[in-house]
Amino acid sequence: TEVSPMMPHIFNGCNATVFAYGATGSGKTYTMQGTEEHPGLIHLAMSNIIYICQNTGSTTHLSYYEVYMDRCYDLLELKATEISVLDDQDGQIHLRGLSQVPVHTMSEFPDVFASGVQRRKVAHTCLNDVSSRSHGVLVISVVSTPDETGRTVCGKLNLIDLAGNEDNRRSCSEGIRLQESAKINQSLFALSNVIYTLNNNQTRIPYRESKLTRILQDSLGGTSRALMVACLNPGEYQESVNTVGLAARSRHVSNFVPSAHKLETPKANVDMEAKLRSWLESKGKAKTSQQRLGPFKSPILKKNSKFHHDIC
């Protein structure tokens, strides 16, 4: 019900993000993955997208990666390879080396997704027998058929199962589990900071505070759509209050399409004639500067040898 309205925007070239947020053991993974009897948001969204693709001639590809210890790893590769996060000249984020698997029918999806789920890092803690130790991000990329102008439209949907924020006093984390918990809490804090700055329409958004927010830079705020699913643990009052507090702030984030003049970088009008005259005066040649400039006010168009001799 909540994710379906995002679908038309994805096929029109926009990006969308759906993420489950909450404390450890609050049901985030169950909400996103579900079971065979009760499919989660990932399966329902994928089914919807494939149905639209089959009726419109569009194509879709899957990518699945995890952010573990502030590093990005491809979950669809047999050998866990780290993915490089790069920016292009337009400020767009690219994940170099991230695999993309084409999916044409819904019957192909379970095997591809399950192979990635098996490679995701989980561990036992005092709060959860199978605790996610990384943020899992499934990316569904859609390429729509060219329109009458021949333009190909690309959009993507990020479906994110966040690792739960942890109270180490209750989880009894030690050693590597403690390091994982610190990185998880740090990235979740960075995500809340991004949401806070978007909510307050600040000019500088701290995307680079963590690998997760940097990767999602093109899918949070701006013209993108985002949905936060707040998962609450009824046994922990304070954790539920914190989750609801972030959800309350998130719902006030307004997406907008910036106007064309805001996208342009203002250029200063430089008076080259005045700049050259100032340089000549600094060299003690102010008396002959007007003659050197000539009627066209440009030293480039002056072809006599005397001018070239003086300039040299």
Side-chain angles (χ1 to χ4, degrees), residues 63-276:
S63 298
Y64 195 21
Y65 63 88
E66 67 176 352
V67 179
Y68 173 73
M69 298 284 284
D70 213 36
R71 295 176 181 270
C72 184
Y73 297 95
D74 194 342
L75 291 176
L76 297 183
E77 290 289 338
L78 293 177
K79 182 180 179 180
T81 55
E82 185 175 354
I83 304 302
S84 301
V85 183
L86 304 175
D87 303 72
D88 63 15
Q89 60 183 3
D90 298 323
Q92 298 297 316
I93 301 297
H94 297 277
L95 301 179
R96 187 175 65 182
L98 182 64
S99 59
Q100 288 189 329
V101 179
V103 177
H104 304 94
T105 63
M106 194 58 195
S107 60
E108 300 174 0
F109 172 72
D111 291 339
V112 176
F113 181 61
S115 65
V117 171
Q118 292 174 358
R119 297 186 183 98
R120 188 178 171 190
K121 295 177 179 60
V122 295
H124 169 79
T125 68
C126 293
L127 297 177
N128 200 343
D129 289 336
V130 184
S131 176
S132 300
R133 311 313 294 168
S134 66
H135 308 299
V137 183
L138 180 72
V139 184
I140 306 175
S141 302
V142 175
V143 179
S144 300
T145 54
D147 54 17
E148 60 275 4
T149 64
R151 181 173 61 95
T152 301
V153 179
C154 301
K156 65 180 179 181
L157 173 63
N158 301 291
L159 297 166
I160 308 175
D161 176 17
L162 293 173
N165 56 311
E166 293 184 345
D167 184 350
N168 293 317
R169 294 169 298 182
R170 296 178 53 243
S171 63
C172 305
S173 297
E174 297 179 351
I176 187 63
R177 300 286 90 83
L178 184 62
Q179 297 177 32
E180 293 169 348
S181 179
K183 290 295 185 180
I184 290 171
N185 292 341
Q186 180 183 354
S187 61
L188 293 176
F189 181 72
L191 178 61
S192 65
N193 282 342
V194 167
I195 293 174
Y196 175 81
T197 52
L198 288 171
N199 181 40
N200 288 275
N201 296 321
Q202 297 183 11
T203 55
R204 181 188 175 277
I205 312 299
Y207 291 113
R208 291 182 175 269
E209 287 188 356
S210 77
K211 187 65 65 67
L212 177 66
T213 52
R214 185 186 176 195
I215 294 174
L216 298 177
Q217 183 171 338
D218 61 350
S219 301
L220 293 174
T223 60
S224 62
R225 269 66 178 174
L227 171 65
M228 173 184 175
V229 181
C231 299
L232 306 181
N233 187 345
E236 294 300 328
Y237 170 78
Q238 189 57 49
E239 290 178 349
S240 298
V241 169
N242 295 337
T243 301
V244 172
L246 179 61
R249 293 193 299 271
S250 304
R251 66 187 299 270
H252 293 294
V253 176
S254 299
N255 294 330
F256 62 96
V257 179
S259 58
H261 70 274
K262 291 184 179 180
L263 296 176
E264 297 177 355
T265 302
K267 299 180 179 179
N269 295 324
V270 180
D271 189 343
M272 295 305 297
E273 178 183 346
K275 190 174 182 179
L276 179 59

